[in-house]
Amino acid sequence: MQPDEKSDLRALALFRDMDVAAFDLLIAGAEATDFPAMTDVIREGDPARHLHIVLSGGIELYSRWNGRETSMDRLDPSASFIVAATIHNGPYLLSARTIGPSRVARMRSEDVRAAFAHDSSFARAVVGELALAYRSSIKNSKNLKLRSSVERLANYVLRVHQETGATAFDLTMEKRQLASLLGMTPENISRAIRALRSNGAIFDGARIRITDPDALRMLARPNPLIDDQAI
């Protein structure tokens, strides 16, 4: 692992308050690996041997069962996966694969658990990370259970519009992947895309154009208790 990568890890909320000696001990057994696009980094059901941190590129968390597959989340640089399995010393409940060429840091799970047991600042940071993950899971469940497919798509488009400030932008994933993330079938997302045409957003292939933000917001009816990732 490069010195600048160690510095970047040290700056993350998960590690920044650790005792210097405890962090040095944790990072001593860590390594960074380059992965090609569409490569599995972990597989669900395997023992959680490492805590992973995305250094560059991106990661898709997904699951398969009975011949079906669904996307669960997409992770950008600085995100960790999967903390709960590492601390619990249980199997991975999800698989993870690279979206594009990616570099991922890996820390041995036994080293992470030792740091958790002996460094109170790190333990508090881990609890904070797990709490955020739990709340994100609750918000995602509310989004899936309380909203129609059209409302879920409208909120996704509105969120990207608000985050980027752009009135036109490209999807960062295939439509089938977006459908999976939003709990929809490819047929459902096609119908939802057509419904958005008269509600402020037009899809042209992978390009999305906001034509009426107020109409889009009226349809989406964003709720901070579902959509605000900061609370």
Side-chain angles (χ1 to χ4, degrees):
M1 188 179 300
Q2 301 300 318
D4 60 329
E5 293 173 335
K6 294 180 181 180
S7 298
D8 290 342
L9 290 175
R10 180 61 162 163
L12 298 180
L14 192 58
F15 307 112
R16 71 167 64 110
D17 294 326
M18 286 184 72
D19 177 77
V20 173
F23 177 76
D24 289 343
L25 189 62
L26 178 61
I27 207 72
E31 59 183 15
T33 305
D34 292 307
F35 292 93
M38 299 303 294
T39 301
D40 278 335
V41 179
I42 62 173
R43 292 184 176 91
E44 61 184 311
D46 285 352
R49 295 189 176 92
H50 296 91
L51 173 66
H52 299 75
I53 312 290
V54 186
L55 296 176
S56 65
I59 293 290
E60 177 188 14
L61 299 178
Y62 70 98
S63 181
R64 289 182 178 141
W65 181 81
N66 198 28
R68 293 188 289 271
E69 179 180 304
T70 186
S71 293
M72 300 297 292
D73 203 358
R74 288 166 68 92
L75 306 177
D76 296 321
S78 299
S80 62
F81 66 100
I82 299 177
V83 178
T86 297
I87 297 300
H88 183 60
N89 194 19
Y92 295 121
L93 298 183
L94 298 171
S95 297
R97 64 186 166 211
T98 55
I99 297 168
S102 302
R103 187 166 172 83
V104 177
R106 299 188 294 180
M107 300 177 179
R108 294 185 303 230
S109 290
E110 59 266 31
D111 294 342
V112 176
R113 289 193 292 273
F116 181 82
H118 296 105
D119 189 292
S120 60
S121 294
F122 179 59
R124 284 193 297 270
V126 168
V127 171
E129 183 119 339
L130 292 174
L132 287 174
Y134 172 76
R135 291 176 68 81
S136 178
S137 177
I138 293 296
K139 291 172 188 176
N140 186 55
S141 293
K142 290 167 68 175
N143 185 48
L144 292 173
K145 294 183 179 232
L146 295 175
R147 286 172 170 160
S148 69
S149 57
V150 175
E151 289 168 339
R152 295 198 295 275
L153 182 60
N155 273 281
Y156 172 83
V157 172
L158 181 62
R159 182 168 63 252
V160 176
H161 166 59
Q162 291 174 334
E163 289 175 352
T164 64
T167 57
F169 47 87
D170 293 321
L171 278 176
T172 58
M173 65 190 86
E174 297 178 8
K175 288 180 183 175
R176 62 175 181 82
Q177 293 175 312
L178 177 60
S180 186
L181 280 173
L182 297 178
M184 302 159 65
T185 65
E187 295 77 19
N188 283 342
I189 199 169
S190 294
R191 287 194 291 269
I193 286 172
R194 289 194 296 270
L196 287 193
R197 281 187 166 272
S198 57
N199 288 278
I202 295 176
F203 281 67
D204 182 10
R207 189 73 171 168
I208 304 172
R209 182 162 52 89
I210 308 298
T211 57
D212 190 337
D214 292 335
L216 182 63
R217 192 174 295 105
M218 186 175 296
L219 172 63
R221 299 177 64 187
N223 180 340
L225 298 181
I226 299 177
D227 305 297
D228 191 343
Q229 296 304 306
I231 63 174

Short mmCIF file of all heavy atoms in Angstrom, two decimals, residues 97-162:
data_model
loop_
_atom_site.label_atom_id
_atom_site.label_comp_id
_atom_site.label_asym_id
_atom_site.label_seq_id
_atom_site.Cartn_x
_atom_site.Cartn_y
_atom_site.Cartn_z
N ARG A 97 -18.69 -6.73 -6.50
CA ARG A 97 -17.89 -6.77 -7.72
C ARG A 97 -17.57 -5.34 -8.16
O ARG A 97 -18.30 -4.39 -7.85
CB ARG A 97 -18.61 -7.52 -8.83
CG ARG A 97 -19.89 -6.89 -9.31
CD ARG A 97 -20.62 -7.78 -10.30
NE ARG A 97 -21.99 -7.35 -10.52
CZ ARG A 97 -22.99 -8.19 -10.81
NH1 ARG A 97 -22.78 -9.49 -10.90
NH2 ARG A 97 -24.20 -7.72 -10.99
N THR A 98 -16.48 -5.22 -8.89
CA THR A 98 -16.07 -3.91 -9.37
C THR A 98 -16.98 -3.45 -10.50
O THR A 98 -17.42 -4.24 -11.33
CB THR A 98 -14.63 -3.96 -9.87
OG1 THR A 98 -14.52 -4.99 -10.85
CG2 THR A 98 -13.67 -4.25 -8.73
N ILE A 99 -17.27 -2.15 -10.51
CA ILE A 99 -18.05 -1.56 -11.60
C ILE A 99 -17.14 -1.27 -12.79
O ILE A 99 -17.49 -1.51 -13.94
CB ILE A 99 -18.75 -0.29 -11.11
CG1 ILE A 99 -19.74 -0.63 -9.99
CG2 ILE A 99 -19.46 0.42 -12.27
CD1 ILE A 99 -20.28 0.57 -9.25
N GLY A 100 -15.98 -0.75 -12.50
CA GLY A 100 -14.93 -0.51 -13.49
C GLY A 100 -13.62 -0.90 -12.84
O GLY A 100 -13.59 -1.45 -11.73
N PRO A 101 -12.49 -0.65 -13.51
CA PRO A 101 -11.20 -0.92 -12.86
C PRO A 101 -11.14 -0.21 -11.51
O PRO A 101 -11.43 0.99 -11.41
CB PRO A 101 -10.18 -0.33 -13.86
CG PRO A 101 -10.89 -0.37 -15.19
CD PRO A 101 -12.34 -0.11 -14.87
N SER A 102 -10.78 -0.93 -10.47
CA SER A 102 -10.88 -0.41 -9.11
C SER A 102 -9.68 -0.87 -8.27
O SER A 102 -9.09 -1.91 -8.53
CB SER A 102 -12.18 -0.88 -8.43
OG SER A 102 -13.32 -0.48 -9.18
N ARG A 103 -9.38 -0.06 -7.28
CA ARG A 103 -8.34 -0.42 -6.31
C ARG A 103 -9.00 -0.47 -4.93
O ARG A 103 -9.71 0.47 -4.53
CB ARG A 103 -7.20 0.60 -6.34
CG ARG A 103 -5.99 0.22 -5.49
CD ARG A 103 -4.79 1.09 -5.83
NE ARG A 103 -3.66 0.90 -4.93
CZ ARG A 103 -2.77 -0.08 -5.04
NH1 ARG A 103 -2.89 -0.97 -6.01
NH2 ARG A 103 -1.75 -0.17 -4.20
N VAL A 104 -8.76 -1.56 -4.22
CA VAL A 104 -9.44 -1.81 -2.96
C VAL A 104 -8.42 -2.16 -1.88
O VAL A 104 -7.53 -3.01 -2.11
CB VAL A 104 -10.45 -2.96 -3.10
CG1 VAL A 104 -11.12 -3.27 -1.76
CG2 VAL A 104 -11.51 -2.63 -4.16
N ALA A 105 -8.52 -1.51 -0.73
CA ALA A 105 -7.68 -1.86 0.42
C ALA A 105 -8.37 -2.94 1.23
O ALA A 105 -9.60 -2.94 1.37
CB ALA A 105 -7.43 -0.62 1.29
N ARG A 106 -7.59 -3.87 1.76
CA ARG A 106 -8.13 -4.95 2.57
C ARG A 106 -7.38 -5.01 3.89
O ARG A 106 -6.14 -5.04 3.92
CB ARG A 106 -8.01 -6.29 1.84
CG ARG A 106 -8.76 -6.34 0.51
CD ARG A 106 -8.78 -7.73 -0.08
NE ARG A 106 -7.44 -8.15 -0.47
CZ ARG A 106 -7.16 -9.34 -1.01
NH1 ARG A 106 -8.14 -10.21 -1.19
NH2 ARG A 106 -5.93 -9.63 -1.37
N MET A 107 -8.16 -5.04 4.98
CA MET A 107 -7.59 -5.19 6.33
C MET A 107 -8.09 -6.50 6.92
O MET A 107 -9.28 -6.80 6.84
CB MET A 107 -8.04 -4.02 7.21
CG MET A 107 -7.61 -2.67 6.70
SD MET A 107 -8.22 -1.32 7.73
CE MET A 107 -7.51 0.08 6.87
N ARG A 108 -7.21 -7.25 7.52
CA ARG A 108 -7.59 -8.55 8.06
C ARG A 108 -8.64 -8.38 9.16
O ARG A 108 -8.50 -7.54 10.05
CB ARG A 108 -6.37 -9.29 8.61
CG ARG A 108 -5.36 -9.67 7.54
CD ARG A 108 -4.24 -10.50 8.13
NE ARG A 108 -3.57 -9.81 9.22
CZ ARG A 108 -2.25 -9.67 9.31
NH1 ARG A 108 -1.47 -10.13 8.35
NH2 ARG A 108 -1.72 -9.07 10.35
N SER A 109 -9.67 -9.20 9.09
CA SER A 109 -10.78 -9.07 10.03
C SER A 109 -10.33 -9.26 11.47
O SER A 109 -10.82 -8.57 12.38
CB SER A 109 -11.88 -10.09 9.69
OG SER A 109 -12.53 -9.74 8.50
N GLU A 110 -9.41 -10.19 11.71
CA GLU A 110 -8.95 -10.38 13.09
C GLU A 110 -8.24 -9.14 13.61
O GLU A 110 -8.34 -8.82 14.81
CB GLU A 110 -8.05 -11.61 13.21
CG GLU A 110 -6.79 -11.58 12.36
CD GLU A 110 -6.98 -12.27 11.01
OE1 GLU A 110 -8.11 -12.25 10.48
OE2 GLU A 110 -5.99 -12.82 10.49
N ASP A 111 -7.54 -8.42 12.74
CA ASP A 111 -6.88 -7.17 13.16
C ASP A 111 -7.92 -6.09 13.45
O ASP A 111 -7.76 -5.31 14.40
CB ASP A 111 -5.93 -6.68 12.07
CG ASP A 111 -4.75 -7.62 11.85
OD1 ASP A 111 -4.49 -8.46 12.73
OD2 ASP A 111 -4.11 -7.51 10.78
N VAL A 112 -8.98 -6.04 12.64
CA VAL A 112 -10.05 -5.06 12.86
C VAL A 112 -10.75 -5.35 14.18
O VAL A 112 -11.03 -4.43 14.97
CB VAL A 112 -11.05 -5.08 11.69
CG1 VAL A 112 -12.23 -4.14 11.98
CG2 VAL A 112 -10.37 -4.68 10.39
N ARG A 113 -11.04 -6.62 14.46
CA ARG A 113 -11.71 -6.96 15.72
C ARG A 113 -10.82 -6.67 16.92
O ARG A 113 -11.30 -6.25 17.98
CB ARG A 113 -12.15 -8.42 15.70
CG ARG A 113 -13.31 -8.69 14.75
CD ARG A 113 -13.92 -10.07 14.98
NE ARG A 113 -13.01 -11.14 14.61
CZ ARG A 113 -12.91 -11.65 13.38
NH1 ARG A 113 -13.69 -11.18 12.41
NH2 ARG A 113 -12.07 -12.63 13.11
N ALA A 114 -9.52 -6.89 16.78
CA ALA A 114 -8.60 -6.57 17.88
C ALA A 114 -8.58 -5.07 18.15
O ALA A 114 -8.61 -4.63 19.31
CB ALA A 114 -7.20 -7.07 17.55
N ALA A 115 -8.55 -4.28 17.09
CA ALA A 115 -8.59 -2.82 17.27
C ALA A 115 -9.91 -2.39 17.89
O ALA A 115 -9.94 -1.49 18.74
CB ALA A 115 -8.38 -2.14 15.91
N PHE A 116 -11.01 -3.02 17.47
CA PHE A 116 -12.32 -2.71 18.03
C PHE A 116 -12.35 -2.98 19.53
O PHE A 116 -12.94 -2.23 20.31
CB PHE A 116 -13.39 -3.54 17.32
CG PHE A 116 -14.79 -3.31 17.79
CD1 PHE A 116 -15.52 -2.22 17.31
CD2 PHE A 116 -15.38 -4.16 18.70
CE1 PHE A 116 -16.83 -2.00 17.74
CE2 PHE A 116 -16.68 -3.95 19.14
CZ PHE A 116 -17.41 -2.87 18.66
N ALA A 117 -11.70 -4.05 19.95
CA ALA A 117 -11.71 -4.44 21.37
C ALA A 117 -10.83 -3.56 22.23
O ALA A 117 -11.12 -3.36 23.42
CB ALA A 117 -11.28 -5.90 21.50
N HIS A 118 -9.78 -3.00 21.64
CA HIS A 118 -8.78 -2.31 22.47
C HIS A 118 -8.70 -0.80 22.26
O HIS A 118 -8.08 -0.11 23.07
CB HIS A 118 -7.39 -2.93 22.22
CG HIS A 118 -7.30 -4.36 22.63
ND1 HIS A 118 -7.30 -5.41 21.73
CD2 HIS A 118 -7.22 -4.94 23.86
CE1 HIS A 118 -7.21 -6.56 22.37
NE2 HIS A 118 -7.16 -6.30 23.67
N ASP A 119 -9.29 -0.29 21.19
CA ASP A 119 -9.23 1.15 20.94
C ASP A 119 -10.65 1.72 20.99
O ASP A 119 -11.45 1.48 20.08
CB ASP A 119 -8.58 1.42 19.58
CG ASP A 119 -8.30 2.90 19.35
OD1 ASP A 119 -9.27 3.68 19.22
OD2 ASP A 119 -7.12 3.29 19.31
N SER A 120 -10.97 2.46 22.03
CA SER A 120 -12.34 2.94 22.23
C SER A 120 -12.77 3.92 21.15
O SER A 120 -13.95 3.95 20.75
CB SER A 120 -12.49 3.57 23.61
OG SER A 120 -11.60 4.68 23.76
N SER A 121 -11.85 4.71 20.64
CA SER A 121 -12.20 5.67 19.59
C SER A 121 -12.59 4.94 18.31
O SER A 121 -13.56 5.32 17.64
CB SER A 121 -11.02 6.62 19.32
OG SER A 121 -10.76 7.43 20.44
N PHE A 122 -11.85 3.91 17.99
CA PHE A 122 -12.18 3.12 16.81
C PHE A 122 -13.51 2.40 17.01
O PHE A 122 -14.34 2.33 16.09
CB PHE A 122 -11.07 2.11 16.51
CG PHE A 122 -11.35 1.23 15.32
CD1 PHE A 122 -11.56 1.78 14.06
CD2 PHE A 122 -11.38 -0.14 15.46
CE1 PHE A 122 -11.81 0.97 12.96
CE2 PHE A 122 -11.63 -0.97 14.37
CZ PHE A 122 -11.84 -0.41 13.12
N ALA A 123 -13.74 1.87 18.21
CA ALA A 123 -15.00 1.19 18.50
C ALA A 123 -16.18 2.12 18.32
O ALA A 123 -17.22 1.74 17.75
CB ALA A 123 -14.97 0.62 19.92
N ARG A 124 -16.04 3.37 18.79
CA ARG A 124 -17.13 4.34 18.62
C ARG A 124 -17.36 4.63 17.14
O ARG A 124 -18.51 4.76 16.69
CB ARG A 124 -16.82 5.63 19.38
CG ARG A 124 -17.02 5.54 20.88
CD ARG A 124 -17.00 6.91 21.54
NE ARG A 124 -15.71 7.57 21.39
CZ ARG A 124 -14.71 7.44 22.25
NH1 ARG A 124 -14.83 6.63 23.30
NH2 ARG A 124 -13.57 8.07 22.06
N ALA A 125 -16.28 4.73 16.37
CA ALA A 125 -16.42 5.00 14.94
C ALA A 125 -17.11 3.83 14.23
O ALA A 125 -17.94 4.04 13.34
CB ALA A 125 -15.05 5.27 14.33
N VAL A 126 -16.77 2.61 14.61
CA VAL A 126 -17.41 1.44 14.03
C VAL A 126 -18.90 1.43 14.34
O VAL A 126 -19.74 1.18 13.46
CB VAL A 126 -16.75 0.14 14.53
CG1 VAL A 126 -17.60 -1.08 14.17
CG2 VAL A 126 -15.35 -0.01 13.94
N VAL A 127 -19.24 1.70 15.60
CA VAL A 127 -20.66 1.75 15.99
C VAL A 127 -21.39 2.83 15.18
O VAL A 127 -22.52 2.63 14.71
CB VAL A 127 -20.81 2.00 17.50
CG1 VAL A 127 -22.27 2.27 17.86
CG2 VAL A 127 -20.30 0.80 18.29
N GLY A 128 -20.73 3.97 14.99
CA GLY A 128 -21.33 5.03 14.19
C GLY A 128 -21.56 4.59 12.75
O GLY A 128 -22.61 4.87 12.16
N GLU A 129 -20.59 3.89 12.17
CA GLU A 129 -20.73 3.40 10.80
C GLU A 129 -21.86 2.38 10.69
O GLU A 129 -22.65 2.39 9.73
CB GLU A 129 -19.41 2.78 10.34
CG GLU A 129 -19.42 2.32 8.91
CD GLU A 129 -18.39 3.03 8.04
OE1 GLU A 129 -17.94 4.13 8.42
OE2 GLU A 129 -18.05 2.49 6.99
N LEU A 130 -21.95 1.49 11.67
CA LEU A 130 -23.02 0.49 11.66
C LEU A 130 -24.38 1.15 11.83
O LEU A 130 -25.36 0.72 11.22
CB LEU A 130 -22.78 -0.53 12.77
CG LEU A 130 -21.57 -1.45 12.58
CD1 LEU A 130 -21.38 -2.32 13.82
CD2 LEU A 130 -21.75 -2.32 11.35
N ALA A 131 -24.44 2.20 12.66
CA ALA A 131 -25.71 2.91 12.86
C ALA A 131 -26.16 3.57 11.56
O ALA A 131 -27.35 3.53 11.21
CB ALA A 131 -25.56 3.95 13.97
N LEU A 132 -25.22 4.19 10.85
CA LEU A 132 -25.57 4.81 9.56
C LEU A 132 -26.05 3.77 8.56
O LEU A 132 -27.01 4.00 7.82
CB LEU A 132 -24.36 5.56 9.00
CG LEU A 132 -23.98 6.87 9.70
CD1 LEU A 132 -22.68 7.42 9.13
CD2 LEU A 132 -25.10 7.91 9.58
N ALA A 133 -25.38 2.60 8.54
CA ALA A 133 -25.79 1.54 7.63
C ALA A 133 -27.19 1.03 7.98
O ALA A 133 -28.00 0.76 7.08
CB ALA A 133 -24.78 0.40 7.68
N TYR A 134 -27.48 0.91 9.28
CA TYR A 134 -28.81 0.46 9.70
C TYR A 134 -29.88 1.46 9.27
O TYR A 134 -30.92 1.08 8.72
CB TYR A 134 -28.84 0.28 11.21
CG TYR A 134 -30.22 0.00 11.76
CD1 TYR A 134 -30.80 -1.26 11.62
CD2 TYR A 134 -30.95 1.00 12.39
CE1 TYR A 134 -32.07 -1.52 12.11
CE2 TYR A 134 -32.22 0.76 12.88
CZ TYR A 134 -32.77 -0.50 12.73
OH TYR A 134 -34.04 -0.74 13.21
N ARG A 135 -29.61 2.74 9.50
CA ARG A 135 -30.60 3.76 9.15
C ARG A 135 -30.79 3.82 7.63
O ARG A 135 -31.90 4.02 7.14
CB ARG A 135 -30.17 5.12 9.70
CG ARG A 135 -30.25 5.19 11.22
CD ARG A 135 -29.73 6.51 11.76
NE ARG A 135 -30.61 7.62 11.41
CZ ARG A 135 -31.73 7.93 12.06
NH1 ARG A 135 -32.14 7.20 13.09
NH2 ARG A 135 -32.45 8.97 11.69
N SER A 136 -29.70 3.63 6.88
CA SER A 136 -29.82 3.60 5.42
C SER A 136 -30.68 2.43 4.97
O SER A 136 -31.49 2.56 4.04
CB SER A 136 -28.42 3.51 4.79
OG SER A 136 -28.50 3.44 3.39
N SER A 137 -30.53 1.29 5.65
CA SER A 137 -31.34 0.12 5.31
C SER A 137 -32.82 0.38 5.59
O SER A 137 -33.69 0.00 4.78
CB SER A 137 -30.86 -1.09 6.12
OG SER A 137 -31.66 -2.22 5.87
N ILE A 138 -33.13 1.05 6.70
CA ILE A 138 -34.52 1.38 7.03
C ILE A 138 -35.10 2.32 5.98
O ILE A 138 -36.23 2.14 5.51
CB ILE A 138 -34.61 2.01 8.43
CG1 ILE A 138 -34.25 0.98 9.51
CG2 ILE A 138 -35.99 2.59 8.68
CD1 ILE A 138 -35.21 -0.18 9.60
N LYS A 139 -34.33 3.33 5.60
CA LYS A 139 -34.81 4.29 4.59
C LYS A 139 -35.07 3.59 3.26
O LYS A 139 -36.06 3.87 2.58
CB LYS A 139 -33.79 5.41 4.41
CG LYS A 139 -33.66 6.34 5.61
CD LYS A 139 -32.50 7.29 5.43
CE LYS A 139 -32.25 8.10 6.69
NZ LYS A 139 -31.06 8.96 6.56
N ASN A 140 -34.18 2.66 2.90
CA ASN A 140 -34.37 1.93 1.65
C ASN A 140 -35.62 1.07 1.71
O ASN A 140 -36.38 0.99 0.73
CB ASN A 140 -33.14 1.07 1.37
CG ASN A 140 -33.21 0.39 0.02
OD1 ASN A 140 -33.38 1.04 -1.01
ND2 ASN A 140 -33.08 -0.92 0.00
N SER A 141 -35.86 0.43 2.85
CA SER A 141 -37.08 -0.38 3.00
C SER A 141 -38.32 0.48 2.90
O SER A 141 -39.31 0.09 2.26
CB SER A 141 -37.06 -1.12 4.35
OG SER A 141 -36.04 -2.09 4.39
N LYS A 142 -38.29 1.66 3.50
CA LYS A 142 -39.44 2.57 3.41
C LYS A 142 -39.66 3.01 1.97
O LYS A 142 -40.81 3.09 1.50
CB LYS A 142 -39.22 3.78 4.33
CG LYS A 142 -39.29 3.43 5.81
CD LYS A 142 -38.77 4.56 6.68
CE LYS A 142 -39.66 5.78 6.65
NZ LYS A 142 -39.20 6.82 7.61
N ASN A 143 -38.58 3.30 1.27
CA ASN A 143 -38.68 3.71 -0.13
C ASN A 143 -39.34 2.61 -0.96
O ASN A 143 -40.21 2.88 -1.80
CB ASN A 143 -37.28 4.02 -0.67
CG ASN A 143 -37.29 4.57 -2.09
OD1 ASN A 143 -38.05 5.48 -2.42
ND2 ASN A 143 -36.45 4.00 -2.93
N LEU A 144 -38.93 1.36 -0.73
CA LEU A 144 -39.46 0.24 -1.51
C LEU A 144 -40.91 -0.08 -1.15
O LEU A 144 -41.71 -0.44 -2.02
CB LEU A 144 -38.59 -1.00 -1.29
CG LEU A 144 -37.17 -0.96 -1.86
CD1 LEU A 144 -36.40 -2.19 -1.42
CD2 LEU A 144 -37.19 -0.85 -3.37
N LYS A 145 -41.26 0.06 0.12
CA LYS A 145 -42.58 -0.41 0.58
C LYS A 145 -43.66 0.67 0.54
O LYS A 145 -44.85 0.35 0.47
CB LYS A 145 -42.46 -0.97 2.00
CG LYS A 145 -41.62 -2.23 2.09
CD LYS A 145 -41.60 -2.78 3.51
CE LYS A 145 -40.77 -4.05 3.53
NZ LYS A 145 -41.42 -5.20 4.13
N LEU A 146 -43.26 1.93 0.60
CA LEU A 146 -44.24 3.00 0.70
C LEU A 146 -44.47 3.75 -0.61
O LEU A 146 -45.42 4.52 -0.72
CB LEU A 146 -43.82 4.01 1.78
CG LEU A 146 -43.80 3.49 3.21
CD1 LEU A 146 -43.24 4.55 4.16
CD2 LEU A 146 -45.20 3.07 3.66
N ARG A 147 -43.61 3.51 -1.60
CA ARG A 147 -43.70 4.26 -2.85
C ARG A 147 -43.96 3.34 -4.03
O ARG A 147 -43.50 2.19 -4.05
CB ARG A 147 -42.41 5.05 -3.10
CG ARG A 147 -42.25 6.27 -2.21
CD ARG A 147 -40.89 6.88 -2.35
NE ARG A 147 -40.82 8.18 -1.68
CZ ARG A 147 -39.70 8.77 -1.31
NH1 ARG A 147 -38.53 8.19 -1.53
NH2 ARG A 147 -39.73 9.95 -0.71
N SER A 148 -44.66 3.88 -5.01
CA SER A 148 -44.84 3.16 -6.26
C SER A 148 -43.54 3.18 -7.06
O SER A 148 -42.61 3.94 -6.74
CB SER A 148 -45.96 3.81 -7.08
OG SER A 148 -45.54 5.09 -7.56
N SER A 149 -43.46 2.37 -8.09
CA SER A 149 -42.26 2.33 -8.90
C SER A 149 -41.99 3.69 -9.56
O SER A 149 -40.83 4.13 -9.66
CB SER A 149 -42.37 1.24 -9.97
OG SER A 149 -43.51 1.44 -10.78
N VAL A 150 -43.04 4.37 -9.99
CA VAL A 150 -42.87 5.69 -10.60
C VAL A 150 -42.34 6.68 -9.58
O VAL A 150 -41.44 7.49 -9.88
CB VAL A 150 -44.20 6.20 -11.19
CG1 VAL A 150 -44.06 7.62 -11.72
CG2 VAL A 150 -44.68 5.27 -12.30
N GLU A 151 -42.84 6.64 -8.36
CA GLU A 151 -42.37 7.55 -7.31
C GLU A 151 -40.92 7.26 -6.95
O GLU A 151 -40.14 8.19 -6.69
CB GLU A 151 -43.27 7.42 -6.08
CG GLU A 151 -44.66 8.00 -6.28
CD GLU A 151 -45.62 7.62 -5.17
OE1 GLU A 151 -45.37 6.60 -4.47
OE2 GLU A 151 -46.63 8.33 -5.00
N ARG A 152 -40.53 5.99 -6.92
CA ARG A 152 -39.13 5.66 -6.62
C ARG A 152 -38.20 6.19 -7.69
O ARG A 152 -37.14 6.75 -7.40
CB ARG A 152 -38.96 4.13 -6.46
CG ARG A 152 -39.71 3.55 -5.28
CD ARG A 152 -39.20 2.19 -4.89
NE ARG A 152 -39.39 1.16 -5.89
CZ ARG A 152 -40.51 0.44 -6.04
NH1 ARG A 152 -41.56 0.69 -5.24
NH2 ARG A 152 -40.59 -0.50 -6.94
N LEU A 153 -38.58 6.02 -8.96
CA LEU A 153 -37.75 6.53 -10.04
C LEU A 153 -37.70 8.05 -10.01
O LEU A 153 -36.63 8.65 -10.21
CB LEU A 153 -38.28 6.04 -11.39
CG LEU A 153 -37.46 6.47 -12.62
CD1 LEU A 153 -36.04 5.96 -12.53
CD2 LEU A 153 -38.14 5.99 -13.90
N ALA A 154 -38.82 8.69 -9.75
CA ALA A 154 -38.86 10.16 -9.68
C ALA A 154 -37.94 10.67 -8.59
O ALA A 154 -37.22 11.67 -8.78
CB ALA A 154 -40.30 10.63 -9.45
N ASN A 155 -37.93 10.01 -7.44
CA ASN A 155 -37.06 10.45 -6.35
C ASN A 155 -35.60 10.23 -6.69
O ASN A 155 -34.74 11.05 -6.32
CB ASN A 155 -37.43 9.73 -5.05
CG ASN A 155 -38.53 10.45 -4.29
OD1 ASN A 155 -38.28 11.44 -3.61
ND2 ASN A 155 -39.75 9.97 -4.43
N TYR A 156 -35.29 9.15 -7.40
CA TYR A 156 -33.90 8.92 -7.81
C TYR A 156 -33.44 10.03 -8.75
O TYR A 156 -32.37 10.62 -8.55
CB TYR A 156 -33.77 7.56 -8.51
CG TYR A 156 -32.41 7.36 -9.14
CD1 TYR A 156 -31.33 6.92 -8.37
CD2 TYR A 156 -32.20 7.63 -10.49
CE1 TYR A 156 -30.09 6.77 -8.94
CE2 TYR A 156 -30.95 7.48 -11.06
CZ TYR A 156 -29.90 7.05 -10.28
OH TYR A 156 -28.65 6.90 -10.84
N VAL A 157 -34.25 10.35 -9.75
CA VAL A 157 -33.89 11.40 -10.72
C VAL A 157 -33.77 12.74 -10.01
O VAL A 157 -32.84 13.52 -10.25
CB VAL A 157 -34.92 11.46 -11.86
CG1 VAL A 157 -34.66 12.66 -12.76
CG2 VAL A 157 -34.90 10.16 -12.67
N LEU A 158 -34.72 13.03 -9.12
CA LEU A 158 -34.69 14.30 -8.39
C LEU A 158 -33.44 14.40 -7.52
O LEU A 158 -32.81 15.46 -7.45
CB LEU A 158 -35.94 14.43 -7.53
CG LEU A 158 -36.09 15.73 -6.74
CD1 LEU A 158 -36.17 16.93 -7.66
CD2 LEU A 158 -37.33 15.67 -5.83
N ARG A 159 -33.05 13.31 -6.87
CA ARG A 159 -31.88 13.34 -6.01
C ARG A 159 -30.61 13.62 -6.82
O ARG A 159 -29.77 14.45 -6.40
CB ARG A 159 -31.74 12.01 -5.26
CG ARG A 159 -30.55 11.98 -4.30
CD ARG A 159 -30.60 10.79 -3.38
NE ARG A 159 -30.51 9.52 -4.09
CZ ARG A 159 -31.52 8.69 -4.26
NH1 ARG A 159 -32.71 8.98 -3.78
NH2 ARG A 159 -31.35 7.55 -4.90
N VAL A 160 -30.46 12.97 -7.97
CA VAL A 160 -29.28 13.24 -8.82
C VAL A 160 -29.29 14.69 -9.29
O VAL A 160 -28.25 15.36 -9.31
CB VAL A 160 -29.25 12.27 -10.02
CG1 VAL A 160 -28.08 12.62 -10.94
CG2 VAL A 160 -29.13 10.83 -9.55
N HIS A 161 -30.47 15.18 -9.68
CA HIS A 161 -30.60 16.58 -10.11
C HIS A 161 -30.17 17.53 -9.00
O HIS A 161 -29.42 18.50 -9.24
CB HIS A 161 -32.04 16.85 -10.52
CG HIS A 161 -32.40 18.29 -10.66
ND1 HIS A 161 -31.76 19.14 -11.54
CD2 HIS A 161 -33.33 19.05 -10.01
CE1 HIS A 161 -32.28 20.36 -11.43
NE2 HIS A 161 -33.22 20.33 -10.51
N GLN A 162 -30.60 17.28 -7.78
CA GLN A 162 -30.26 18.16 -6.66
C GLN A 162 -28.79 18.05 -6.28
O GLN A 162 -28.17 19.06 -5.91
CB GLN A 162 -31.16 17.82 -5.47
CG GLN A 162 -32.63 18.19 -5.69
CD GLN A 162 -33.52 17.71 -4.56
OE1 GLN A 162 -33.23 16.74 -3.86
NE2 GLN A 162 -34.66 18.37 -4.38
#
